[in-house]
Amino acid sequence: MDSENIEVWAEAQKKLPRPPTNEELAAFQEFLNDSESEVWQHAKRLAAFYIKPFEESRVDIFWFVLGDAVNKLTSQNDKLAELVLKLQRLPDGKGVLGPEPWWSDLPYFNNFWTEWMQFQFEDLSQGDQDYEAACQANVNRNAFLAKLTARMGNVVDLDQRERGGHTLKQALERTPVSETRVLAAEPWITYCAESMYDRCLQGGPMSWEYPHNGTNWGVQKGWSKGRWNYWRKRFQEISNSTKVKEEVRRVAKECAEKMEEVERARG
């Protein structure tokens, strides 16, 4: 399938075990085909399908459709992130679930992401026929989440730094270096370097840090300034490695420089 062909992508949604209704899918297609300046209008229309008591809402299906769009429609990444930001800020649906607007805590979003999206890339080998598409999807997912985090404000449900930390661990704490994981880590530094640095300074446990995960980082678990320093050093090492592609060296160099810039700014 041409991953950027919206019509072909939409047809594939109809084959899901629990597909969106024709009306839901048509509204999502119109959103994808429209300009980014019209996202607010589409957010209101899409949101209305799901503003119901949980036992009646099909919001889980919406997240599956959006997640598949994130994976496969790379050129739509900015707009998909903007859609979620607009949904979270909609004033609609007060009183259905409680006094707050229905979408204010993005119902089931984080549950969906952890259960269905977070670990999609974990078990794929380079010999898998879908490996290249999976690599791009992994980059797309991290770019999408980093964009949400960069504009989270005080909204806890938009804070995806724990997922960012997991991606940075995978990219920088394992050998040999996985080029695609380095590319997936880049958005967390490009969009969220200051916020990720703050999280490291804050300290505390880091999600998905299990003994079987494997790491070159040593025995000190959790967020820390030392771990930030280690990540920066690894980016610097990768930027000078002849074992990775030029694109990966460039990305690693830019990430290391951005991290240094944040540290200098903080004195």
Side-chain angles (χ1 to χ4, degrees):
M1 184 187 83
D2 181 352
S3 61
E4 296 295 315
N5 187 317
I6 294 173
E7 286 68 34
V8 173
W9 171 85
E11 283 299 312
Q13 304 309 299
K14 298 177 182 179
K15 300 175 183 177
L16 294 174
R18 291 187 67 212
T21 66
N22 290 338
E23 292 80 9
E24 291 166 352
L25 186 57
F28 204 92
Q29 276 186 267
E30 288 183 23
F31 153 71
L32 292 172
N33 283 311
D34 209 345
S35 66
E36 192 165 342
S37 64
E38 301 299 321
V39 172
W40 182 257
Q41 169 189 334
H42 290 287
K44 287 182 69 66
R45 181 183 176 191
L46 285 163
F49 288 114
Y50 310 102
I51 297 178
K52 301 175 182 178
F54 280 148
E55 61 271 16
E56 300 174 23
S57 180
R58 292 162 50 88
V59 71
D60 59 320
I61 294 175
F62 171 76
W63 292 129
F64 271 102
V65 171
L66 181 131
D68 196 62
V70 169
N71 278 346
K72 296 175 181 173
L73 302 177
T74 303
S75 66
Q76 299 276 342
N77 199 267
D78 285 349
K79 198 159 64 173
L80 290 163
E82 189 66 27
L83 175 63
V84 174
L85 290 165
K86 291 288 193 292
L87 286 171
Q88 191 278 324
R89 292 161 188 167
L90 277 176
D92 308 39
K94 290 183 179 179
V96 178
L97 301 179
E100 298 301 318
W102 198 92
W103 287 90
S104 61
D105 62 354
L106 297 173
Y108 295 124
F109 172 74
N110 279 299
N111 305 60
F112 162 76
W113 209 271
T114 299
E115 293 178 16
W116 294 99
M117 301 289 282
Q118 178 81 9
F119 304 106
Q120 286 187 358
F121 190 67
E122 298 293 293
D123 299 323
L124 283 177
S125 66
Q126 291 190 7
D128 192 290
Q129 64 177 357
D130 296 323
Y131 184 75
E132 185 175 341
C135 289
Q136 184 61 60
N138 193 41
V139 173
N140 292 354
R141 288 192 295 274
N142 282 281
F144 169 79
L145 293 175
K147 290 167 187 175
L148 295 185
T149 303
R151 296 172 60 189
M152 65 182 176
N154 296 320
V155 181
V156 173
D157 295 285
L158 292 172
D159 184 353
Q160 303 296 319
R161 286 178 294 178
E162 293 296 323
R163 303 190 200 281
H166 182 66
T167 298
L168 286 159
K169 285 187 299 183
Q170 291 179 315
L172 304 172
E173 297 182 5
R174 295 180 179 181
T175 49
V177 173
S178 166
E179 294 184 343
T180 188
R181 292 189 189 279
V182 173
L183 296 176
E186 175 268 329
W188 293 103
I189 303 302
T190 296
Y191 296 104
C192 306
E194 292 187 6
S195 182
M196 296 297 284
Y197 184 63
D198 288 340
R199 186 67 187 87
C200 285
L201 294 182
Q202 181 182 354
M206 183 180 286
S207 298
W208 305 293
E209 191 160 29
Y210 309 117
H212 65 270
N213 285 159
T215 176
N216 298 326
W217 157 240
V219 297
Q220 183 187 2
K221 294 183 178 182
W223 297 89
S224 68
K225 177 62 161 58
R227 204 165 201 167
W228 169 273
N229 292 340
Y230 179 80
W231 289 343
R232 173 171 41 75
K233 179 182 176 182
R234 289 292 294 132
F235 273 130
Q236 291 168 337
E237 292 172 350
I238 294 167
S239 73
N240 293 315
S241 173
T242 59
K243 296 181 180 180
V244 299
K245 295 176 182 176
E246 174 60 32
E247 178 191 9
V248 177
R249 290 198 296 272
R250 175 184 56 78
V251 163
K253 182 175 184 291
E254 291 172 354
C255 287
E257 290 174 348
K258 180 68 173 179
M259 294 173 81
E260 289 177 335
E261 179 185 322
V262 169
E263 293 178 64
R264 286 196 300 271
R266 298 297 181 85

